[in-house]
């Protein structure tokens, strides 16, 4: 069966047959790729030059760390942000034997921890660790109890590491040794002397980076991954109208009660009311005198990326069409009795050219629509902030950050006849084949597996705290795991693994400590599939592979814009908080 909503990446990178490659190089022209699509010439030239490739993260003065700790850039080599290690206690980690390649390194992967004996006492031990760090004046940002393995290997060589993030250039080597010794003492008293401690430079960041929204029909749409950004489909890219450069993602749709037909969108409070622009007082739902704080679909970066991606795709398709047309020319007109392979090759290149021309026409039409009617942020208003929690950490055993908000959706901004409700688009950069191969990697763990219709995963049900600690699914190595998926403004569809032990994070204000909280940690799936999130993904809903709700994405830890660990508020706890403020609220009913 064919699905037209598959990623265009696989379509536009088709290569000509090998026996024609040399001839194509000989006939390749140095002039601009011809314009067979009747597009505006200036716009066409921009499409050919548009690219979305970003520069890699780099570090200046690495000897600052390696002169004292030679493995600074080896211990965690391969993690998304490339965060360096300041110090790690215990024996040096294994390195490849020097058999040819100079400077060869193992690629490391952080792995989740489940069922470890420390689990029952971890929260108490974790609090002792961060209080010890405070007593040593360590400017720590996160405490992540994770395992480490070499990429591709089933069994972690380090079953549990206290992986502690610190502010950039804030911790000297000698001070790290002293702090690690104190933590080793805590672990030893608790009965875990074998657990080692490592400090990495890493910051925790909160990911805020007119007409109706368009309907989304991926089954019949040739360009669903480009149209999605301008529809109400989850994850929906959003930003405050007054500060459209602070961007995030919408999580889930709710109705307020059976007697109130308003529809609201759940997101993170720091997305709805970015702290740099608002005092941290929240916005009670009963406030009527407060001016409306309106929300737009797509902030500055989201709109720019959405339009640039269309132009880049047109440019790629134009180059491919030029190649296919040259192949058709070299093959010549059809003649009776010609080689069947020649006929087949001509027909295939003609089919590709026709298909690409159709897609370019669809992209051009969509680009024309959104640049004419949705360029200004006030043309993309979809609703206003109904309620936003003050961002605080409550007292009690579950010290998760209270960071959520409800956005009231204006009824006139949505075509309710085509509204998809709480279906999250998991297509785009995750293909149908990859969804099954990566999230259902073991044959014995695929009971009743079906790919979500049209790439839309229905959010339904809640993953309990117990299952987060003791997952039931199997990963690629046959180990128990909770594999998850999300769609966010910055990174689109990504997959990851939930850690069975909570992390601790520390946020600093200009005048000192702002808050210390517990977080559900999400690790990258592996070293090949990149980070789970990036700035702009805050507010995304995290689902398990069956669509059950796991957590609301709120932040991430790493160096620069790359995150090695993503953090979320578990939904089983968040649901309790929303019910206290809106007792009658419930998830928007399943849409057809």
């Amino acid at each position: 069966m064919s699905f037209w909503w598959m990623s265009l990446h696989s379509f536009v990178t088709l290569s000509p047959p090998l026996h024609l490659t040399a001839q194509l190089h000989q006939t390749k022209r140095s002039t601009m790729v011809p314009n067979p699509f009747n597009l505006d010439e200036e716009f066409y030239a921009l499409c050919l030059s548009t690219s979305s490739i970003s520069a890699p993260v780099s570090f200046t003065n690495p000897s600052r760390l390696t002169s004292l700790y030679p493995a600074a850039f080896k211990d965690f080599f391969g993690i998304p942000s490339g965060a360096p290690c300041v110090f790690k206690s215990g024996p040096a980690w294994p390195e490849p034997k020097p058999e040819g390649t100079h400077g060869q390194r193992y690629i490391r992967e952080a792995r989740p921890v489940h069922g470890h004996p420390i689990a029952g006492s971890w929260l108490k031990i974790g609090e002792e660790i961060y209080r010890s760090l405070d007593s040593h004046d360590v400017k720590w940002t996160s405490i992540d109890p994770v395992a480490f393995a070499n990429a591709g290997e089933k069994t972690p060589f380090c079953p549990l590491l206290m992986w502690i993030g610190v502010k950039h250039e804030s911790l000297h080597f000698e001070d790290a040794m002293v702090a690690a010794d104190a933590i080793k003492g805590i672990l030893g008293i608790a009965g875990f002397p074998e657990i080692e401690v490592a400090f990495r430079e890493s910051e925790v960041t909160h990911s805020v980076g007119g007409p109706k929204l368009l309907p989304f029909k991926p089954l019949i749409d040739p360009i669903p991954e480009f149209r999605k950004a301008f529809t109400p489909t989850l994850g929906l890219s959003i930003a405050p109208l007054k500060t459209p450069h602070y961007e995030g993602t919408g999580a889930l749709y709710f109705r307020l009660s059976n007697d109130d037909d308003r529809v609201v969108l759940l997101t993170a409070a720091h997305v709805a009311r970015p702290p740099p622009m608002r005092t941290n007082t929240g916005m009670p739902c009963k406030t009527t005198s407060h001016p409306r704080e309106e929300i737009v679909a797509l902030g500055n970066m989201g709109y720019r990326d959405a339009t640039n991606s269309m132009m880049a795709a047109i440019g790629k398709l134009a180059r491919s069409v030029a190649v296919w047309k040259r192949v058709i020319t070299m093959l010549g007109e059809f003649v009776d009795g010609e080689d069947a392979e020649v006929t087949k090759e001509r027909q295939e290149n003609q089919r590709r050219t026709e298909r690409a021309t159709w897609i370019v026409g669809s992209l051009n039409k969509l680009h024309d629509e959104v640049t004419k009617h949705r360029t200004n942020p006030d043309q993309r208003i979809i609703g206003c902030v109904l309620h936003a929690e003050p961002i605080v950490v409550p007292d009690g055993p579950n010290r998760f950050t209270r960071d959520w908000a409800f956005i009231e959706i204006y009824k006139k901004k949505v075509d309710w006849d085509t509204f998809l409700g709480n279906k999250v688009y998991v297509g785009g950069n995750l293909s149908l084949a990859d969804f099954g191969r990566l999230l259902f990697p073991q044959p014995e763990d695929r009971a009743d597996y079906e790919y979500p219709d049209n790439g839309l995963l229905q959010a339904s049900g809640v993953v309990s705290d117990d299952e987060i600690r003791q997952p039931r699914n199997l990963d690629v190595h046959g180990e128990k795991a909770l594999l998850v998926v999300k769609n966010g403004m910055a990174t689109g569809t990504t997959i990851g693994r939930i850690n069975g032990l909570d992390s601790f994070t520390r946020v600093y204000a200009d005048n000192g400590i702002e808050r210390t909280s517990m977080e559900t940690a999400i690790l990258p799936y592996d070293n090949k599939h990149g980070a789970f999130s990036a700035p702009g993904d805050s507010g995304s809903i995290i689902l398990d592979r069956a669509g059950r709700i796991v957590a609301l994405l709120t932040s991430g830890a790493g160096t620069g814009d790359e995150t090695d660990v993503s953090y979320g508020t578990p939904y089983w706890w968040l649901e309790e908080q929303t019910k206290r403020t809106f007792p009658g609220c419930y998830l928007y009913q399943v849409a057809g």
Side-chain angles (χ1 to χ4, degrees), residues 429-430 434 437-438 494-495 524-532:
N429 51 11
L430 185 67
D434 284 344
R437 179 177 61 86
L438 299 173
T494 58
I495 53 176
Y525 184 86
D526 58 21
N527 73 297
K528 298 177 182 178
H529 291 86
F532 184 73

Side-chain angles (χ1 to χ4, degrees), residues 139-377:
K139 298 297 183 184
W140 66 276
T141 58
S142 61
I143 303 171
D144 301 299
V146 299
F148 267 90
N150 293 323
E153 295 182 1
K154 174 181 177 178
T155 305
F157 62 82
C158 175
L160 179 57
L161 176 74
M162 292 298 117
W163 200 33
I164 301 172
V166 297
K167 293 179 76 67
H168 184 64
E169 295 190 12
S170 69
L171 184 63
H172 295 292
F173 177 78
E174 294 81 4
D175 296 331
M177 290 180 63
V178 172
D181 283 343
I183 294 172
K184 287 285 291 181
I186 293 171
L187 292 168
I189 292 172
F192 304 100
E194 74 283 0
I195 298 176
E196 302 298 345
V197 180
F199 293 97
R200 73 192 192 277
E201 293 190 343
S202 171
E203 301 276 351
V204 173
T205 57
H206 289 85
S207 308
V208 289
K212 283 185 178 181
L213 292 165
L214 299 177
F216 191 57
K217 300 176 180 178
L219 183 63
I220 59 175
D221 190 347
I223 53 170
E225 59 264 53
F226 298 95
R227 192 180 309 276
K228 179 204 161 288
F230 301 93
T231 77
T233 309
L234 300 175
L236 174 63
S237 302
I238 59 174
L241 173 62
K242 292 184 178 180
T243 55
H245 50 289
Y246 287 108
E247 307 185 54
T249 306
L252 295 167
Y253 292 104
F254 287 75
R255 284 198 182 277
L256 292 179
S257 73
N258 289 326
D259 300 322
D260 189 335
D261 65 353
R262 285 179 293 175
V263 175
V264 297
L265 177 67
L266 172 69
T267 189
H270 72 268
V271 171
R273 309 186 82 228
M277 306 301 294
R278 310 277 190 227
T279 56
N280 188 25
T281 56
M283 183 176 174
C285 60
K286 295 181 180 179
T287 299
T288 56
S289 59
H290 197 284
R292 280 189 176 184
E293 296 181 7
E294 293 191 297
I295 300 294
V296 301
L298 295 172
N300 291 347
M301 183 174 71
Y303 180 82
R304 182 198 66 211
D305 289 350
T307 52
N308 281 354
S309 68
M310 296 180 217
M311 296 170 65
I314 290 174
K316 289 180 181 180
L317 285 166
R319 294 183 181 90
S320 295
V321 166
V323 171
W324 298 329
K325 285 192 171 184
R326 290 202 299 273
V327 171
I328 294 169
T329 299
M330 286 184 284
L331 292 172
E333 297 291 333
F334 173 77
V335 293
D336 290 335
E338 70 179 11
D339 190 314
E341 290 299 316
V342 172
T343 304
K344 181 179 178 182
E345 191 64 41
R346 183 189 299 106
Q347 291 173 344
E348 178 64 19
N349 281 275
Q350 288 172 339
R351 185 193 65 80
R352 292 173 181 172
T353 299
E354 292 170 0
R355 170 75 176 157
T357 302
W358 177 43
I359 291 176
V360 167
S362 299
L363 286 168
N364 184 50
K365 182 178 179 180
L366 177 61
H367 187 274
D368 188 54
E369 149 70 20
V370 301
T371 53
K372 281 184 177 178
H373 304 295
R374 303 166 197 269
T375 301
N376 297 323

Side-chain angles (χ1 to χ4, degrees), residues 55-72:
V57 178
S58 62
F59 293 90
T60 58
N61 190 24
S63 63
R64 167 179 65 86
L65 297 170
T66 55
S67 62
L68 295 171
Y69 187 70

